[in-house]
Amino acid sequence: GDGGGGHAMDVGEGGTVDVAQLLKKQAAGPQLTFARLVADPTGARSIDDVNALGAKWASLLRSGGMSEKVYGIDENTVLMSLTDGAIIDEVREFLWLQDEVDEFEWNQQVWRRGSDQPQPPKPKAAPPESAEKVPKKKRGKRIKGKKSRRPKEVTKDAEL
């Protein structure tokens, strides 16, 4: 035999692993993706606005046979349920055409607007060594009454 049968990974010319092919294999079947929206400078965007945007996208994606469900998660995030991850690239391209989209997230990878490569994962920040956990003392707040209650002073003037 040639000894090369049944490799789990697709190894391309020159022995390199085809990352795109690998990702496509991971993407087989239903997938969830997220679109992060450009922050609303006015702060006026509501979850209802996001759901309306999602409904618009859903109908556009459906007409292209690409997606079934689009949900607003919060004021800045849309969740998309894809029937088949093989179309993930097309969905990302569709999202880049939407002015509201800033980032695309799938499989714990984030693409910045206009990029066809995911961002390198952010390194987990090591806690600074000087930050020793010192429990803070809680200062009890005194509840101020209307007037301080002093025992009534008996004055000599009150004598009859």
Side-chain angles (χ1 to χ4, degrees):
D2 61 357
H7 280 306
M9 280 196 195
D10 288 328
V11 179
E13 301 283 320
T16 57
V17 174
D18 187 343
V19 176
Q21 279 303 116
L22 217 55
L23 282 172
K24 284 227 180 352
K25 277 198 170 159
Q26 278 185 328
Q31 298 291 321
L32 295 177
T33 66
F34 297 91
R36 304 255 185 269
L37 305 180
V38 176
D40 180 359
T42 66
R45 184 193 296 139
S46 71
I47 189 70
D48 291 337
D49 298 331
V50 175
N51 280 321
L53 184 65
K56 184 178 98 174
W57 290 356
S59 68
L60 288 168
L61 287 165
R62 261 195 304 275
S63 67
M66 287 199 266
S67 178
E68 288 177 350
K69 308 233 167 40
V70 181
Y71 309 93
I73 301 290
D74 59 33
E75 289 78 15
N76 298 309
T77 313
V78 175
L79 166 69
M80 285 170 292
S81 168
L82 308 181
T83 50
D84 186 359
I87 58 165
I88 211 117
D89 293 340
E90 290 93 311
V91 171
R92 191 172 62 242
E93 292 306 313
F94 165 81
L95 289 171
W96 293 152
L97 298 173
Q98 314 309 311
D99 293 335
E100 302 90 347
V101 178
D102 187 40
E103 292 180 346
F104 171 79
E105 183 180 332
W106 169 71
N107 202 17
Q108 298 180 336
Q109 293 181 298
V110 175
W111 285 256
R112 298 286 301 162
R113 181 173 187 85
S115 173
D116 57 358
Q117 293 296 317
Q119 294 287 100
K122 288 180 184 149
K124 292 205 165 66
E129 289 176 34
S130 62
E132 291 172 34
K133 301 256 176 178
V134 179
K136 288 183 180 170
K137 288 179 185 164
K138 287 185 181 175
R139 291 200 336 216
K141 287 185 182 172
R142 285 207 186 115
I143 298 166
K144 288 185 179 169
K146 285 172 190 152
K147 286 195 171 169
S148 60
R149 293 187 187 172
R150 273 197 227 120
K152 287 184 181 166
E153 292 176 24
V154 179
T155 58
K156 293 190 172 159
D157 299 342
E159 291 174 12
L160 290 172

